[in-house]
Amino acid sequence: MPRLTNGLGVQVEDTHICVVMVGLPARGKSYIAQKAQRYLQWLSVPAATFNVGNYRRKDAAQPTADFFDTNNAAGERTRRAAAEAAVADMMKWFKSGGVVGILDATNSTKERRRWVLETCQKEGIETIFVESKCDDEELIMANIRDVKTTSPDYQGQDPEEAAQDFRNRIRNYEKIYVSIDEDGDESEMTYLKMMNVGRQVIINRIQDYLESRIVYYLMNLHIRPRSVWLSRHGESMYNLDGRIGGDAQLSPRGEQYALKLPELVRKSVGDDRPLTVWTSTLKRTIATARHLPKHYNQLQWKALDELDSGVCDGMTYQEIKDYYPDDFRARDEDKYNYRYRGGESYRDVVIRLEPIIMELERSEDILIVTHQAVLRCIYAYFMKKDQEKSPWMHVPLHTLIKLTPRAYGTEEVRYPAGIDAVSTWRGKGSTAKHEDPVPEVI
Ligand code: ATP
Ligand code: F6P
């Protein structure tokens, strides 16, 4: 059987990369690590994060700032043991097929970095150091308030005292912290150094394609507040017939949704902020977006077109079962990987959506009007849905979904338009034209 390429279109099974986070506390290292992990997993690249703090908490659950003073020998030993345990687990994980392991710790001294580098080299694992530097005091304080005072390290403690203790912890790290290659003797290392959330970026010795994708992705991240709105097109004439694919017009109820969408968007945005609207190149999404305010910038993306159902385009699920019973069964067995004859799989759709995700990460407020399968893939990226489940998600017609990225997750609000539409959700094995959705699917 030919090996499947992952979302990046390359064979990565034989690649092992350790992404070593570097930086003082509250510089967004864990944030960057979990974003990178999600991006890679979404692209089917096996990725995992090893957070040294989680290992340290097993022995020192709620340490005060002086635990992190390098003159505290007991503290040093515990921290060293936590780093060793995290790296040992990461090495085991690489041996079991892991491709990108992210070591999430401050790694703030040259000695620690050299040790990680040499440990990886012995096992033939590439390393890329990713440093986040930040001297914006306001941002650091906001980070402490947002995520640190609620961390398990300070559970049950007064937030003001927790914030003060965390600042003292940072001071202890500052005493020993050396920025990567600051002294010019780490220039042989592969690294990405980001200053003040990407305002300035230094890239050194990137070695291969996967590393360059990771670097490019990280360079596009920002933390300005924003939301992404997702909507399917209004109900189409094909939806009424239970036919898939095609380039049908909207049904009368689909037209009503198009008329209602500007009001739903206004309600959800809450002010006069202009949005950028992305549609596919198909009639039904363009028609759905056409009553939105004229000052919204609108763009059509071919990459947002519905999953191509190849020879099955225009058929009902019953017709597919009658003409291609083996295909019908195969799709139900592995919906994510099944590729329609002459068409696409969900995996293929994710590959073509990669530039969309990249652009979304760079952008601020965007409204995307697209199709059932494509919306599932974009939603899965933000909401961390796995590949088993995402192709079966229930995404109703005539509903606006607002996603707002937060420090460690994404918030979701749904705005139903209150306009009836058929259900295009189909359960495993079913050939029903319009099936009642099973709500717990998502
Ligand atoms: P620690 O060493 O204590 O684990 P950390 O560096 O891992 O700290 P995070 O827990 O990731 O810090 O901090 C999360 C906060 O950092 C979020 O509020 C996020 O918005 C913010 N953030 C994300 N990226 C950056 C960045 N490049 N620079 C500064 N802050 C960032
Ligand atoms: O039925 C609407 C539709 O957008 C079709 O055009 C498309 O083939 C289908 O949904 C994708 O959903 P599923 O993967 O569940 O068949």
Side-chain angles (χ1 to χ4, degrees):
M1 196 178 118
R3 292 202 295 179
L4 286 170
T5 58
N6 61 40
L8 294 168
V10 287
Q11 309 280 1
V12 292
E13 288 93 334
D14 303 328
T15 309
H16 301 295
I17 300 175
C18 176
V19 176
V20 190
M21 301 308 303
V22 176
L24 289 167
R27 265 52 180 190
K29 298 182 301 297
S30 298
Y31 174 90
I32 294 165
Q34 56 97 22
K35 290 289 289 187
Q37 176 182 334
R38 178 60 200 147
Y39 166 70
L40 292 163
Q41 285 178 337
W42 182 73
L43 289 167
S44 300
V45 176
T49 300
F50 298 82
N51 178 290
V52 174
N54 289 341
Y55 287 80
R56 182 263 300 152
R57 263 185 285 277
K58 290 178 195 158
D59 290 319
Q62 295 201 307
T64 50
D66 34 302
F67 174 83
F68 298 92
D69 185 339
T70 40
N71 296 320
N72 178 341
E76 278 288 281
R77 269 197 305 278
T78 306
R79 288 165 55 205
R80 172 85 199 181
E84 281 169 1
V87 168
D89 278 356
M90 183 171 68
M91 292 303 165
K92 265 191 240 152
W93 176 81
F94 275 125
K95 289 205 172 94
S96 69
V99 174
V100 180
I102 306 172
L103 183 65
D104 184 12
T106 57
N107 297 309
S108 43
T109 63
K110 286 195 264 185
E111 293 69 30
R112 175 61 61 88
R113 295 195 284 268
R114 176 125 329 258
W115 168 69
V116 176
L117 178 79
E118 286 170 0
T119 309
C120 287
Q121 271 172 347
K122 272 188 221 136
E123 302 294 335
I125 295 160
E126 297 168 28
T127 46
I128 167 165
F129 292 84
V130 172
E131 177 169 3
S132 175
K133 286 189 81 174
C134 178
D135 56 14
D136 178 339
E137 277 303 320
E138 248 174 67
L139 175 57
I140 296 164
M141 269 321 286
N143 289 351
I144 294 175
R145 274 194 304 270
D146 274 4
V147 293
K148 297 306 168 191
T149 54
T150 53
S151 114
D153 282 0
Y154 294 106
Q155 213 176 1
Q157 295 184 27
D158 173 63
E160 277 311 308
E161 280 169 26
Q164 187 52 47
D165 184 79
F166 199 83
R167 288 174 68 95
N168 292 340
R169 183 193 294 196
I170 295 176
R171 289 213 179 90
N172 275 329
Y173 274 101
E174 278 167 347
K175 290 183 208 153
I176 46 124
Y177 168 60
V178 178
S179 176
I180 197 150
D181 206 17
E182 186 178 293
D183 301 335
D185 54 1
E186 293 180 307
S187 58
E188 83 288 0
M189 291 178 176
T190 295
Y191 65 79
L192 164 69
K193 201 193 268 218
M194 293 184 286
M195 266 79 85
N196 291 328
V197 204
R199 219 164 292 153
Q200 195 190 353
V201 170
I202 300 173
I203 301 170
N204 193 58
R205 288 185 183 256
I206 297 304
Q207 298 178 53
D208 62 28
Y209 181 72
L210 188 50
E211 281 184 3
S212 71
R213 295 311 300 174
I214 296 169
V215 166
Y216 184 55
Y217 174 76
L218 296 181
M219 282 170 56
N220 280 306
L221 296 183
H222 71 76
I223 52 171
R224 296 183 293 280
R226 53 82 172 264
S227 296
V228 174
W229 285 264
L230 302 174
S231 172
R232 292 180 64 187
H233 53 78
E235 181 189 71
S236 75
M237 297 308 285
Y238 257 36
N239 293 149
L240 285 179
D241 289 350
R243 297 195 176 280
I244 67 166
D247 192 11
Q249 308 281 3
L250 295 182
S251 73
R253 292 191 302 201
E255 288 290 357
Q256 277 179 42
Y257 179 68
L259 284 168
K260 179 95 185 202
L261 188 58
E263 182 193 321
L264 271 192
V265 169
R266 246 193 330 272
K267 188 168 134 200
S268 166
V269 174
D271 55 34
D272 285 338
R273 226 170 344 149
L275 301 185
T276 298
V277 182
W278 295 351
T279 66
S280 73
T281 63
L282 297 169
K283 285 183 203 136
R284 53 196 187 277
T285 61
I286 296 167
T288 303
R290 76 186 190 285
H291 302 299
L292 288 164
K294 291 284 166 274
H295 64 280
Y296 285 13
N297 193 15
Q298 288 211 16
L299 267 176
Q300 291 171 19
W301 291 77
K302 183 84 183 138
L304 290 173
D305 284 3
E306 182 53 310
L307 182 147
D308 179 353
S309 39
V311 295
C312 296
D313 190 78
M315 290 185 174
T316 62
Y317 290 119
Q318 183 61 54
E319 286 167 351
I320 300 175
K321 189 173 183 191
D322 294 344
Y323 287 101
Y324 302 104
D326 292 345
D327 286 73
F328 188 79
R329 211 172 315 111
R331 187 161 199 260
D332 273 1
E333 267 162 31
D334 186 359
K335 195 171 176 189
Y336 188 80
N337 288 305
Y338 170 82
R339 179 181 283 154
Y340 277 108
R341 293 168 188 236
E344 290 179 303
S345 62
Y346 272 85
R347 180 183 286 268
D348 294 329
V349 173
V350 162
I351 294 169
R352 72 162 143 96
L353 284 175
E354 202 247 358
I356 296 274
I357 292 298
M358 205 62 94
E359 199 54 33
L360 271 178
E361 287 295 357
R362 294 163 57 81
S363 309
E364 293 183 9
D365 293 332
I366 305 274
L367 163 61
I368 304 180
V369 184
T370 182
H371 306 264
Q372 176 160 259
V374 172
L375 198 149
R376 283 174 175 150
C377 296
I378 298 173
Y379 183 93
Y381 168 79
F382 283 105
M383 302 306 284
K384 304 191 175 160
K385 296 283 168 191
D386 63 34
Q387 298 170 353
E388 284 283 298
K389 292 211 182 104
S390 58
W392 297 101
M393 282 185 326
H394 170 222
V395 192
L397 286 164
H398 300 177
T399 306
L400 180 66
I401 303 175
K402 179 183 184 185
L403 301 180
T404 307
R406 299 275 180 230
Y408 293 143
T410 304
E411 258 174 40
E412 174 179 354
V413 185
R414 290 194 175 198
Y415 300 84
I419 299 167
D420 286 345
V422 296
S423 161
T424 59
W425 184 82
R426 182 186 75 84
K428 233 176 227 190
S430 165
T431 53
K433 216 156 117 183
H434 303 132
E435 196 171 1
D436 268 340
V438 179
E440 69 266 22
V441 173
I442 51 170

